[in-house]
Amino acid sequence: MRKLFWGIFIIYLLYAVSMSTYLFTVNTPLPEHYVGTEADPLTFMDEEQYQLSSQFSKWRNVIYFINLPFEWLIYLFVLFFGLSQLFARWSEQVIRFRFLQTILYVILLSTFSWIVTFPINYFSYTVSKKYGISIQAFQSWMKDQLITFWVEAIILTIVAYVIMLIISKRPKKWWFYTWLLSIPFTLFLMFIQPVVIDPLYHEFYQIKDKELEQEILLLAKEADIPADRVYEVNMADKTNALNAYVTGIGSNLRIVLWDTTLERLNKEEVLFVMAHEMGHYDLNHLPLLLIGMIAASFVGLYVTSKFYSIIINNFGKQLKVKYDNIAALPIILLILSLLSFAASPVSNAISRAYEYQADRYAIDLTNDPDAAVATFHKLSVEGLSDVNPPTIVKIFRYTHPPMVERITHIREYSKTTE
Ligand SMILES: [Zn+2]
């Protein structure tokens, strides 16, 4: 099994080298019909900004595509080298109760993967800092890393405990019962996200600029969004990028505007961003995505259970893992991660379609395409984003349409509504 691992590792290295070479050297020339239009980055970025955004995007893409299979490699490593089995044995020797054993196992597994992924995470942070996007101090960054570690460890403990319990009780149909339980659990996580998880990282409050707040709430009123659903978040001491988003579910559903967005955009631009987020809110994009996710996890968990049986039946003895033992958890995590990667082009495409919808909604509401285009220009400059990414990057990474397409879409749409 160890030989197999090193074989896979060499394939990974070859992939990492060729993928980075491709991403660093690939040129995606702007299609002819965009050149010189307001979607052309050279019309709204100076030469230096353009170079910086191009380099920064390349680094980010390389880090993304190298990091992703690295997670799969970690799962294989802990299985093939007996670490997962060792962690499970230790946990069983130290404590008697199954839930406490699961906690200990998850902490050991998470600590191992945290340590081996630390260099690449730290590198990603330094790249972002070097290009002036992140301005977060190391201490603050480290604090966020540790918060993430514990949040993920708590969630994984619950998931692992429940899955293994169901597998031992319902070895054939475990995927179905897991899916049933995953629905309230996902709803619960979405519900507490804005009020329990997010405040661990950032500070949320009512919009500070009272004049601007009035304008924003007036707009919200038009779409029947209650005033207490609009929040500002303190991001200015961490990043130079601009953003806004919709989050939560039920009584915790809310629109959040980064303070950097409120500071650096003018009134009309802020109102366009707000109208766009209201589009997501009003068009029920979050609940729709949730339904999609639940449907996809029905198929995903079924497929996972099939692959899981095949792997345990064929390699269980060699790997010294049993069907219902926590030591086999990395197999399930590996399959789930591979499946979600395989589904990401679809979920990204749906997300991009929703972005277009929200953009059109915002134009209908504000009737201000100039402010929309100016906003996209500023978002691209401040965030050093790649206006026209390579296709593979768009397919796997872009939850939002590239700016070239978004700007053109806004202009074409506003022409039809005139
Ligand atoms: Zn959006």
Side-chain angles (χ1 to χ4, degrees), residues 276-277 280 355 358 400 406:
H276 170 97
E277 299 308 326
H280 286 309
E355 292 305 324
H400 290 59
R406 257 181 116 173

PDB file of all heavy atoms in Angstrom, residues 276-277 280 355 358 400 406, ligand 1:
ATOM      1  N   HIS A 276     -28.164  44.500  -5.941  1.00  0.00           N
ATOM      2  CA  HIS A 276     -27.747  43.174  -6.401  1.00  0.00           C
ATOM      3  C   HIS A 276     -27.981  42.134  -5.285  1.00  0.00           C
ATOM      4  O   HIS A 276     -28.549  41.071  -5.533  1.00  0.00           O
ATOM      5  CB  HIS A 276     -26.273  43.217  -6.825  1.00  0.00           C
ATOM      6  CG  HIS A 276     -25.674  41.883  -7.097  1.00  0.00           C
ATOM      7  ND1 HIS A 276     -25.567  41.350  -8.366  1.00  0.00           N
ATOM      8  CD2 HIS A 276     -25.155  40.945  -6.258  1.00  0.00           C
ATOM      9  CE1 HIS A 276     -25.003  40.157  -8.286  1.00  0.00           C
ATOM     10  NE2 HIS A 276     -24.750  39.882  -7.024  1.00  0.00           N
ATOM     11  N   GLU A 277     -27.560  42.467  -4.067  1.00  0.00           N
ATOM     12  CA  GLU A 277     -27.755  41.532  -2.942  1.00  0.00           C
ATOM     13  C   GLU A 277     -29.243  41.338  -2.650  1.00  0.00           C
ATOM     14  O   GLU A 277     -29.685  40.237  -2.312  1.00  0.00           O
ATOM     15  CB  GLU A 277     -27.020  42.022  -1.687  1.00  0.00           C
ATOM     16  CG  GLU A 277     -25.501  42.149  -1.837  1.00  0.00           C
ATOM     17  CD  GLU A 277     -24.844  40.890  -2.375  1.00  0.00           C
ATOM     18  OE1 GLU A 277     -25.310  39.786  -2.072  1.00  0.00           O
ATOM     19  OE2 GLU A 277     -23.859  41.023  -3.130  1.00  0.00           O
ATOM     20  N   HIS A 280     -30.545  38.668  -4.823  1.00  0.00           N
ATOM     21  CA  HIS A 280     -30.334  37.310  -4.293  1.00  0.00           C
ATOM     22  C   HIS A 280     -31.391  36.986  -3.235  1.00  0.00           C
ATOM     23  O   HIS A 280     -31.933  35.885  -3.182  1.00  0.00           O
ATOM     24  CB  HIS A 280     -28.958  37.199  -3.640  1.00  0.00           C
ATOM     25  CG  HIS A 280     -27.820  37.136  -4.619  1.00  0.00           C
ATOM     26  ND1 HIS A 280     -27.792  36.267  -5.673  1.00  0.00           N
ATOM     27  CD2 HIS A 280     -26.660  37.839  -4.682  1.00  0.00           C
ATOM     28  CE1 HIS A 280     -26.667  36.432  -6.345  1.00  0.00           C
ATOM     29  NE2 HIS A 280     -25.963  37.392  -5.775  1.00  0.00           N
ATOM     30  N   GLU A 355     -25.950  35.029 -10.419  1.00  0.00           N
ATOM     31  CA  GLU A 355     -25.307  36.353 -10.393  1.00  0.00           C
ATOM     32  C   GLU A 355     -25.863  37.242 -11.502  1.00  0.00           C
ATOM     33  O   GLU A 355     -26.129  38.423 -11.288  1.00  0.00           O
ATOM     34  CB  GLU A 355     -23.784  36.223 -10.516  1.00  0.00           C
ATOM     35  CG  GLU A 355     -23.110  35.582  -9.312  1.00  0.00           C
ATOM     36  CD  GLU A 355     -23.431  36.281  -8.004  1.00  0.00           C
ATOM     37  OE1 GLU A 355     -23.565  37.522  -7.996  1.00  0.00           O
ATOM     38  OE2 GLU A 355     -23.593  35.573  -6.992  1.00  0.00           O
ATOM     39  N   ALA A 358     -29.260  38.405 -10.446  1.00  0.00           N
ATOM     40  CA  ALA A 358     -29.198  39.465  -9.431  1.00  0.00           C
ATOM     41  C   ALA A 358     -28.748  40.786 -10.064  1.00  0.00           C
ATOM     42  O   ALA A 358     -29.231  41.858  -9.690  1.00  0.00           O
ATOM     43  CB  ALA A 358     -28.260  39.061  -8.299  1.00  0.00           C
ATOM     44  N   HIS A 400     -18.796  33.577  -9.706  1.00  0.00           N
ATOM     45  CA  HIS A 400     -19.318  34.791 -10.333  1.00  0.00           C
ATOM     46  C   HIS A 400     -18.823  34.831 -11.770  1.00  0.00           C
ATOM     47  O   HIS A 400     -17.723  34.360 -12.048  1.00  0.00           O
ATOM     48  CB  HIS A 400     -18.830  36.033  -9.590  1.00  0.00           C
ATOM     49  CG  HIS A 400     -19.449  36.196  -8.235  1.00  0.00           C
ATOM     50  ND1 HIS A 400     -19.322  35.248  -7.247  1.00  0.00           N
ATOM     51  CD2 HIS A 400     -20.219  37.177  -7.728  1.00  0.00           C
ATOM     52  CE1 HIS A 400     -19.988  35.669  -6.179  1.00  0.00           C
ATOM     53  NE2 HIS A 400     -20.547  36.830  -6.440  1.00  0.00           N
ATOM     54  N   ARG A 406     -19.700  40.173 -17.191  1.00  0.00           N
ATOM     55  CA  ARG A 406     -20.688  40.865 -16.345  1.00  0.00           C
ATOM     56  C   ARG A 406     -20.950  42.277 -16.850  1.00  0.00           C
ATOM     57  O   ARG A 406     -22.099  42.717 -16.910  1.00  0.00           O
ATOM     58  CB  ARG A 406     -20.170  40.931 -14.907  1.00  0.00           C
ATOM     59  CG  ARG A 406     -20.836  39.917 -14.020  1.00  0.00           C
ATOM     60  CD  ARG A 406     -20.329  40.025 -12.625  1.00  0.00           C
ATOM     61  NE  ARG A 406     -21.390  40.428 -11.698  1.00  0.00           N
ATOM     62  CZ  ARG A 406     -21.213  40.466 -10.372  1.00  0.00           C
ATOM     63  NH1 ARG A 406     -20.033  40.173  -9.861  1.00  0.00           N
ATOM     64  NH2 ARG A 406     -22.197  40.819  -9.592  1.00  0.00           N
TER      65      ARG A 406
HETATM   66 ZN    ZN B   1     -24.072  38.174  -6.121  1.00  0.00          ZN
END
